[in-house]
Short mmCIF file of all heavy atoms in Angstrom, two decimals:
data_model
loop_
_atom_site.label_atom_id
_atom_site.label_comp_id
_atom_site.label_asym_id
_atom_site.label_seq_id
_atom_site.Cartn_x
_atom_site.Cartn_y
_atom_site.Cartn_z
N LEU A 1 79.92 -20.55 -259.55
CA LEU A 1 81.34 -20.66 -259.24
C LEU A 1 82.15 -19.59 -259.95
O LEU A 1 83.03 -18.95 -259.36
CB LEU A 1 81.86 -22.05 -259.61
CG LEU A 1 81.29 -23.22 -258.81
CD1 LEU A 1 81.80 -24.54 -259.37
CD2 LEU A 1 81.65 -23.10 -257.33
N LYS A 2 81.84 -19.38 -261.24
CA LYS A 2 82.57 -18.38 -262.02
C LYS A 2 82.25 -16.97 -261.54
O LYS A 2 83.13 -16.10 -261.49
CB LYS A 2 82.25 -18.52 -263.51
CG LYS A 2 82.78 -19.80 -264.13
CD LYS A 2 84.31 -19.84 -264.02
CE LYS A 2 84.87 -21.09 -264.65
NZ LYS A 2 86.36 -21.16 -264.51
N ALA A 3 81.00 -16.71 -261.18
CA ALA A 3 80.61 -15.40 -260.70
C ALA A 3 81.32 -15.06 -259.40
O ALA A 3 81.77 -13.93 -259.19
CB ALA A 3 79.09 -15.32 -260.51
N LYS A 4 81.46 -16.05 -258.50
CA LYS A 4 82.19 -15.83 -257.26
C LYS A 4 83.65 -15.48 -257.55
O LYS A 4 84.22 -14.59 -256.90
CB LYS A 4 82.12 -17.08 -256.38
CG LYS A 4 80.73 -17.38 -255.82
CD LYS A 4 80.42 -16.53 -254.61
CE LYS A 4 81.14 -17.00 -253.38
NZ LYS A 4 80.72 -16.26 -252.16
N ASP A 5 84.24 -16.19 -258.51
CA ASP A 5 85.62 -15.90 -258.88
C ASP A 5 85.75 -14.49 -259.45
O ASP A 5 86.67 -13.74 -259.10
CB ASP A 5 86.12 -16.91 -259.92
CG ASP A 5 86.42 -18.27 -259.31
OD1 ASP A 5 86.43 -18.37 -258.07
OD2 ASP A 5 86.63 -19.22 -260.07
N ILE A 6 84.84 -14.12 -260.34
CA ILE A 6 84.89 -12.80 -260.98
C ILE A 6 84.73 -11.69 -259.95
O ILE A 6 85.50 -10.72 -259.93
CB ILE A 6 83.80 -12.69 -262.06
CG1 ILE A 6 84.13 -13.61 -263.24
CG2 ILE A 6 83.65 -11.24 -262.55
CD1 ILE A 6 82.98 -13.79 -264.21
N LEU A 7 83.75 -11.81 -259.07
CA LEU A 7 83.51 -10.78 -258.06
C LEU A 7 84.67 -10.70 -257.07
O LEU A 7 85.05 -9.62 -256.63
CB LEU A 7 82.20 -11.06 -257.33
CG LEU A 7 80.93 -10.93 -258.18
CD1 LEU A 7 79.70 -11.40 -257.41
CD2 LEU A 7 80.73 -9.50 -258.66
N GLY A 8 85.26 -11.86 -256.76
CA GLY A 8 86.43 -11.87 -255.88
C GLY A 8 87.61 -11.17 -256.51
O GLY A 8 88.35 -10.42 -255.86
N LEU A 9 87.80 -11.39 -257.82
CA LEU A 9 88.89 -10.76 -258.54
C LEU A 9 88.69 -9.25 -258.62
O LEU A 9 89.64 -8.46 -258.50
CB LEU A 9 89.01 -11.36 -259.95
CG LEU A 9 90.16 -10.85 -260.83
CD1 LEU A 9 91.49 -11.04 -260.14
CD2 LEU A 9 90.14 -11.56 -262.18
N VAL A 10 87.44 -8.82 -258.81
CA VAL A 10 87.14 -7.38 -258.84
C VAL A 10 87.48 -6.74 -257.50
O VAL A 10 88.11 -5.68 -257.44
CB VAL A 10 85.66 -7.14 -259.19
CG1 VAL A 10 85.27 -5.68 -258.97
CG2 VAL A 10 85.39 -7.53 -260.64
N ASP A 11 87.08 -7.39 -256.41
CA ASP A 11 87.37 -6.85 -255.08
C ASP A 11 88.89 -6.77 -254.84
O ASP A 11 89.39 -5.78 -254.29
CB ASP A 11 86.74 -7.72 -253.99
CG ASP A 11 85.23 -7.59 -253.95
OD1 ASP A 11 84.70 -6.60 -254.50
OD2 ASP A 11 84.57 -8.47 -253.37
N LYS A 12 89.60 -7.81 -255.26
CA LYS A 12 91.05 -7.85 -255.08
C LYS A 12 91.72 -6.74 -255.88
O LYS A 12 92.61 -6.04 -255.38
CB LYS A 12 91.59 -9.21 -255.51
CG LYS A 12 93.11 -9.39 -255.36
CD LYS A 12 93.49 -10.82 -255.70
CE LYS A 12 94.98 -11.06 -255.52
NZ LYS A 12 95.78 -10.39 -256.56
N THR A 13 91.30 -6.55 -257.13
CA THR A 13 91.88 -5.53 -257.98
C THR A 13 91.61 -4.14 -257.44
O THR A 13 92.49 -3.28 -257.41
CB THR A 13 91.33 -5.66 -259.41
OG1 THR A 13 91.59 -6.98 -259.90
CG2 THR A 13 91.98 -4.65 -260.34
N THR A 14 90.38 -3.92 -257.01
CA THR A 14 90.00 -2.61 -256.45
C THR A 14 90.85 -2.28 -255.23
O THR A 14 91.35 -1.16 -255.09
CB THR A 14 88.51 -2.61 -256.05
OG1 THR A 14 87.72 -2.91 -257.21
CG2 THR A 14 88.10 -1.26 -255.50
N SER A 15 91.04 -3.27 -254.37
CA SER A 15 91.84 -3.07 -253.17
C SER A 15 93.29 -2.76 -253.51
O SER A 15 93.91 -1.88 -252.91
CB SER A 15 91.76 -4.32 -252.28
OG SER A 15 92.59 -4.19 -251.15
N GLU A 16 93.85 -3.48 -254.49
CA GLU A 16 95.24 -3.26 -254.87
C GLU A 16 95.44 -1.87 -255.47
O GLU A 16 96.42 -1.19 -255.16
CB GLU A 16 95.69 -4.34 -255.85
CG GLU A 16 95.87 -5.70 -255.19
CD GLU A 16 96.34 -6.76 -256.17
OE1 GLU A 16 96.42 -6.45 -257.38
OE2 GLU A 16 96.64 -7.88 -255.72
N ILE A 17 94.53 -1.44 -256.34
CA ILE A 17 94.64 -0.11 -256.94
C ILE A 17 94.55 0.97 -255.86
O ILE A 17 95.30 1.95 -255.87
CB ILE A 17 93.55 0.09 -258.01
CG1 ILE A 17 93.83 -0.82 -259.21
CG2 ILE A 17 93.47 1.55 -258.45
CD1 ILE A 17 92.74 -0.82 -260.25
N HIS A 18 93.65 0.76 -254.92
CA HIS A 18 93.46 1.73 -253.83
C HIS A 18 94.72 1.88 -253.00
O HIS A 18 95.04 2.98 -252.51
CB HIS A 18 92.30 1.28 -252.94
CG HIS A 18 92.05 2.18 -251.77
ND1 HIS A 18 91.49 3.43 -251.90
CD2 HIS A 18 92.29 2.00 -250.45
CE1 HIS A 18 91.40 4.01 -250.71
NE2 HIS A 18 91.88 3.15 -249.81
N ASN A 19 95.48 0.79 -252.86
CA ASN A 19 96.63 0.81 -251.96
C ASN A 19 97.98 0.96 -252.66
O ASN A 19 99.03 0.95 -252.01
CB ASN A 19 96.66 -0.49 -251.13
CG ASN A 19 95.54 -0.54 -250.13
OD1 ASN A 19 95.41 0.31 -249.28
ND2 ASN A 19 94.71 -1.58 -250.22
N MET A 20 97.97 1.11 -253.99
CA MET A 20 99.23 1.12 -254.74
C MET A 20 100.18 2.23 -254.30
O MET A 20 101.39 2.05 -254.24
CB MET A 20 98.95 1.24 -256.25
CG MET A 20 98.58 -0.08 -256.89
SD MET A 20 98.22 0.07 -258.64
CE MET A 20 99.84 0.44 -259.30
N ASN A 21 99.63 3.40 -254.00
CA ASN A 21 100.47 4.55 -253.74
C ASN A 21 100.44 5.04 -252.30
O ASN A 21 100.82 6.18 -252.02
CB ASN A 21 100.07 5.69 -254.68
CG ASN A 21 100.29 5.34 -256.13
OD1 ASN A 21 101.35 4.83 -256.49
ND2 ASN A 21 99.29 5.58 -256.97
N ILE A 22 100.00 4.18 -251.38
CA ILE A 22 99.93 4.64 -249.99
C ILE A 22 100.80 3.78 -249.07
O ILE A 22 100.55 3.66 -247.89
CB ILE A 22 98.47 4.68 -249.49
CG1 ILE A 22 97.83 3.29 -249.57
CG2 ILE A 22 97.66 5.70 -250.23
CD1 ILE A 22 96.43 3.25 -248.96
N GLY A 23 101.86 3.18 -249.64
CA GLY A 23 102.80 2.45 -248.80
C GLY A 23 102.39 1.01 -248.58
O GLY A 23 101.46 0.49 -249.21
N LEU A 24 103.10 0.36 -247.68
CA LEU A 24 102.87 -1.05 -247.43
C LEU A 24 101.69 -1.25 -246.50
O LEU A 24 101.82 -1.37 -245.28
CB LEU A 24 104.12 -1.70 -246.85
CG LEU A 24 105.24 -1.97 -247.86
CD1 LEU A 24 106.41 -2.64 -247.19
CD2 LEU A 24 104.75 -2.80 -249.03
N THR A 25 100.54 -1.24 -247.10
CA THR A 25 99.30 -1.52 -246.39
C THR A 25 98.40 -2.29 -247.33
O THR A 25 98.52 -2.16 -248.55
CB THR A 25 98.62 -0.21 -245.92
OG1 THR A 25 97.44 -0.53 -245.18
CG2 THR A 25 98.26 0.67 -247.09
N GLY A 26 97.52 -3.09 -246.79
CA GLY A 26 96.62 -3.87 -247.63
C GLY A 26 96.59 -5.32 -247.23
O GLY A 26 97.02 -5.68 -246.12
N THR A 27 96.11 -6.17 -248.13
CA THR A 27 95.91 -7.58 -247.82
C THR A 27 96.66 -8.45 -248.81
O THR A 27 96.60 -8.23 -250.02
CB THR A 27 94.42 -7.93 -247.86
OG1 THR A 27 93.72 -7.15 -246.90
CG2 THR A 27 94.20 -9.41 -247.55
N ILE A 28 97.37 -9.44 -248.29
CA ILE A 28 98.04 -10.45 -249.11
C ILE A 28 97.18 -11.72 -249.07
O ILE A 28 96.92 -12.26 -248.00
CB ILE A 28 99.45 -10.76 -248.58
CG1 ILE A 28 100.35 -9.54 -248.73
CG2 ILE A 28 100.05 -11.96 -249.32
CD1 ILE A 28 101.73 -9.72 -248.11
N SER A 29 96.76 -12.17 -250.23
CA SER A 29 96.01 -13.43 -250.33
C SER A 29 96.98 -14.55 -250.68
O SER A 29 97.69 -14.46 -251.68
CB SER A 29 94.91 -13.33 -251.39
OG SER A 29 93.92 -12.41 -251.01
N ILE A 30 97.02 -15.57 -249.85
CA ILE A 30 97.95 -16.67 -250.07
C ILE A 30 97.21 -18.00 -249.93
O ILE A 30 96.41 -18.19 -249.02
CB ILE A 30 99.14 -16.59 -249.08
CG1 ILE A 30 100.15 -17.72 -249.33
CG2 ILE A 30 98.67 -16.57 -247.63
CD1 ILE A 30 101.45 -17.56 -248.57
N GLY A 31 97.46 -18.90 -250.86
CA GLY A 31 96.85 -20.22 -250.83
C GLY A 31 97.75 -21.21 -250.11
O GLY A 31 98.98 -21.17 -250.28
N LEU A 32 97.15 -22.08 -249.31
CA LEU A 32 97.92 -23.07 -248.56
C LEU A 32 97.31 -24.46 -248.70
O LEU A 32 96.10 -24.63 -248.49
CB LEU A 32 97.96 -22.71 -247.07
CG LEU A 32 98.57 -21.36 -246.67
CD1 LEU A 32 98.42 -21.16 -245.16
CD2 LEU A 32 100.02 -21.26 -247.08
N VAL A 33 98.14 -25.42 -249.06
CA VAL A 33 97.69 -26.81 -248.98
C VAL A 33 97.72 -27.23 -247.52
O VAL A 33 98.36 -26.59 -246.69
CB VAL A 33 98.58 -27.76 -249.82
CG1 VAL A 33 98.48 -27.45 -251.29
CG2 VAL A 33 100.02 -27.69 -249.34
N GLU A 34 97.04 -28.33 -247.23
CA GLU A 34 97.07 -28.83 -245.87
C GLU A 34 98.38 -29.57 -245.61
O GLU A 34 99.23 -29.68 -246.49
CB GLU A 34 95.87 -29.75 -245.63
CG GLU A 34 94.55 -28.98 -245.65
CD GLU A 34 93.35 -29.88 -245.41
OE1 GLU A 34 93.25 -30.91 -246.10
OE2 GLU A 34 92.52 -29.54 -244.56
N GLY A 35 98.55 -30.05 -244.40
CA GLY A 35 99.81 -30.70 -244.04
C GLY A 35 100.69 -29.70 -243.32
O GLY A 35 100.26 -28.99 -242.40
N THR A 36 101.94 -29.58 -243.75
CA THR A 36 102.91 -28.71 -243.10
C THR A 36 102.77 -27.25 -243.52
O THR A 36 103.24 -26.35 -242.81
CB THR A 36 104.34 -29.21 -243.42
OG1 THR A 36 104.48 -30.54 -242.90
CG2 THR A 36 105.41 -28.35 -242.79
N ALA A 37 102.15 -26.99 -244.66
CA ALA A 37 102.09 -25.62 -245.21
C ALA A 37 101.56 -24.58 -244.23
O ALA A 37 102.14 -23.50 -244.11
CB ALA A 37 101.29 -25.62 -246.50
N PRO A 38 100.44 -24.82 -243.53
CA PRO A 38 99.96 -23.80 -242.59
C PRO A 38 100.97 -23.45 -241.50
O PRO A 38 101.09 -22.29 -241.10
CB PRO A 38 98.70 -24.43 -242.00
CG PRO A 38 98.22 -25.38 -243.05
CD PRO A 38 99.48 -25.94 -243.63
N ASP A 39 101.70 -24.45 -241.01
CA ASP A 39 102.70 -24.20 -239.98
C ASP A 39 103.85 -23.38 -240.54
O ASP A 39 104.36 -22.45 -239.88
CB ASP A 39 103.22 -25.53 -239.42
CG ASP A 39 104.18 -25.32 -238.26
OD1 ASP A 39 103.77 -24.67 -237.27
OD2 ASP A 39 105.32 -25.79 -238.34
N ILE A 40 104.26 -23.68 -241.77
CA ILE A 40 105.33 -22.92 -242.42
C ILE A 40 104.91 -21.47 -242.59
O ILE A 40 105.64 -20.54 -242.23
CB ILE A 40 105.67 -23.53 -243.80
CG1 ILE A 40 106.27 -24.94 -243.64
CG2 ILE A 40 106.61 -22.63 -244.58
CD1 ILE A 40 106.40 -25.70 -244.94
N ALA A 41 103.70 -21.27 -243.13
CA ALA A 41 103.22 -19.91 -243.40
C ALA A 41 102.97 -19.13 -242.11
O ALA A 41 103.15 -17.91 -242.08
CB ALA A 41 101.95 -19.97 -244.23
N ALA A 42 102.55 -19.82 -241.05
CA ALA A 42 102.28 -19.14 -239.78
C ALA A 42 103.53 -18.43 -239.26
O ALA A 42 103.45 -17.31 -238.74
CB ALA A 42 101.76 -20.13 -238.75
N LYS A 43 104.67 -19.07 -239.41
CA LYS A 43 105.93 -18.46 -238.95
C LYS A 43 106.25 -17.23 -239.79
O LYS A 43 106.69 -16.20 -239.26
CB LYS A 43 107.05 -19.49 -239.05
CG LYS A 43 106.86 -20.69 -238.13
CD LYS A 43 107.91 -21.75 -238.36
CE LYS A 43 107.66 -22.98 -237.50
NZ LYS A 43 108.62 -24.08 -237.78
#
């Protein structure tokens, strides 16, 4: 579980550094609880 978290964080950091100076491009990671949240975020 911890290794998955660490490797995920490395990938996220690498992606952010790569995209810091090339404008608004890249991936936003957002957590959503169930219920109404997915519908809110979809909009």
Side-chain angles (χ1 to χ4, degrees):
L1 294 175
K2 292 299 181 182
K4 291 280 284 187
D5 285 350
I6 291 168
L7 294 173
L9 183 56
V10 169
D11 288 342
K12 180 175 182 288
T13 303
T14 302
S15 176
E16 288 181 354
I17 292 174
H18 178 72
N19 291 302
M20 279 179 69
N21 297 313
I22 59 174
L24 284 181
T25 182
T27 300
I28 294 174
S29 294
I30 182 170
L32 301 176
V33 295
E34 292 180 310
T36 299
D39 185 57
I40 294 170
K43 296 174 184 176

